[in-house]
Amino acid sequence: MSRLFVGMLRRLYPAGYRAAHGEEIVAVFAESVQDADRRTAVREWAVLAAHALRLRTRLSSRDPAGRVLAGAAPFLVAGGAALGAVQLLTLLFERGPYPPPLALDVAHAAPWVLALLCAALGRWAPARVLVLLAVVAAQFGEDAESIGATSLLGVWAVVGASVLLAPPDAVDLSRRGRHRVVAAATAVALPMSGIAVLWLGSWGKDSSSVLFPPIMQTPIEMSPAWPAVVLAVTYLLHLADPATDRLRAAGVALAALPWGAMVPPPLYRNAPAEPRDLLRDTVVVLVFLAAATVVGLRRRNRLAGVAGAPDPLA
């Protein structure tokens, strides 16, 4: 079995890497499975196979695309967890007695929240497993009339795939990095939760027909843009820091793009139905990111000039 695994593993690596490090690959695998059972051998083979595929697809921690995804992944989890938390909260007001579809809603939203908890504890491997479960669970939802989430399935799938493709060894799990991820998720979730509680708690299922005074209605209609604002500010903070890799900072900007499918209150389930609305919301996100880029680069250059430190990618 080990000989078969080794042969398959070597063929997975790009030819150049295989020629330079083939013997090392074999030695690492042999050492990792020495006196191990078959299940352990398969797991170790899978770890090295994933590394080989990242090299072949240029998504390793040494490749630009891999570093961008590594920068995006924690904040994609933060966004998914924030939206998942709000959706779980709305179930308390929307459902009343709990019918069977509730389990599907919880199975879809809860793994994102748990994934953020794992990431906050520095446990990225279980966080990725939970994201995979969330994406799979989303595919078993019912139609839009029953859970109102069908139009977001594509967004969840793209976000989940991006998290899973990110090279785990390049994800920032430092204390500072984890604090930033939790802060971003909290900043997104709290205002959205407040709107959901006040709106649904007062009017319940009749909330769609509620009209507020203009002084309240305008901020509520603008509230779906709030997550994009939070991610744009987070991107600005990363980009403005001369010690931060620009590509990883660009990943934070990438994490803001899914919010182009802005979800309206109070249920926060459906993306814009009209293409023109989706285009408008995407333009809003891009404007926020463009402004953050201008401000962040100016501050980055100024701080780098004061400190005399070279830019990591200059």
Side-chain angles (χ1 to χ4, degrees), residues 40-105:
T40 302
V42 171
R43 184 174 64 247
E44 294 298 329
W45 181 87
V47 170
L48 287 176
H51 178 247
L53 291 175
R54 288 193 186 93
L55 290 177
R56 187 173 286 276
T57 57
R58 299 185 182 277
L59 290 175
S60 73
S61 57
R62 296 182 179 182
D63 295 305
R67 287 152 67 188
V68 170
L69 284 178
F75 293 97
L76 290 170
V77 172
L83 186 56
V86 177
Q87 289 181 351
L88 289 173
L89 182 64
T90 61
L91 293 176
L92 299 177
F93 300 96
E94 180 196 13
R95 294 285 179 173
Y98 294 155
L102 176 68
L104 291 173
D105 291 353

Side-chain angles (χ1 to χ4, degrees), residues 229-296:
V229 173
V230 172
L231 268 296
V233 171
T234 304
Y235 163 57
L236 187 156
L237 294 176
H238 280 74
L239 185 61
D241 185 355
T244 302
D245 183 344
R246 285 194 188 189
L247 290 176
R248 287 188 175 86
V252 184
L254 180 66
L257 293 181
W259 293 105
M262 294 179 183
V263 284
L267 297 180
Y268 297 106
R269 302 290 177 85
N270 288 342
E274 297 293 333
R276 63 183 179 183
D277 294 335
L278 182 61
L279 177 61
R280 176 203 62 204
D281 294 345
T282 301
V283 169
V284 170
V285 175
L286 293 176
V287 168
F288 289 150
L289 293 178
T293 299
V294 172
V295 176

Side-chain angles (χ1 to χ4, degrees), residues 53-173:
L53 291 175
R54 288 193 186 93
L55 290 177
R56 187 173 286 276
T57 57
R58 299 185 182 277
L59 290 175
S60 73
S61 57
R62 296 182 179 182
D63 295 305
R67 287 152 67 188
V68 170
L69 284 178
F75 293 97
L76 290 170
V77 172
L83 186 56
V86 177
Q87 289 181 351
L88 289 173
L89 182 64
T90 61
L91 293 176
L92 299 177
F93 300 96
E94 180 196 13
R95 294 285 179 173
Y98 294 155
L102 176 68
L104 291 173
D105 291 353
V106 173
H108 173 216
W112 286 100
V113 179
L114 296 175
L116 176 65
L117 177 61
C118 289
L121 296 174
R123 303 292 302 277
W124 188 244
R128 295 173 75 239
V129 172
L130 286 163
V131 168
L132 176 61
L133 291 176
V135 173
V136 172
Q139 310 312 310
F140 292 93
E142 299 185 5
D143 56 35
E145 287 73 23
S146 62
I147 65 169
T150 302
S151 59
L152 284 175
L153 291 183
V155 176
W156 287 116
V158 171
V159 169
S162 299
V163 172
L164 296 174
L165 288 173
D169 58 323
V171 174
D172 182 9
L173 295 178

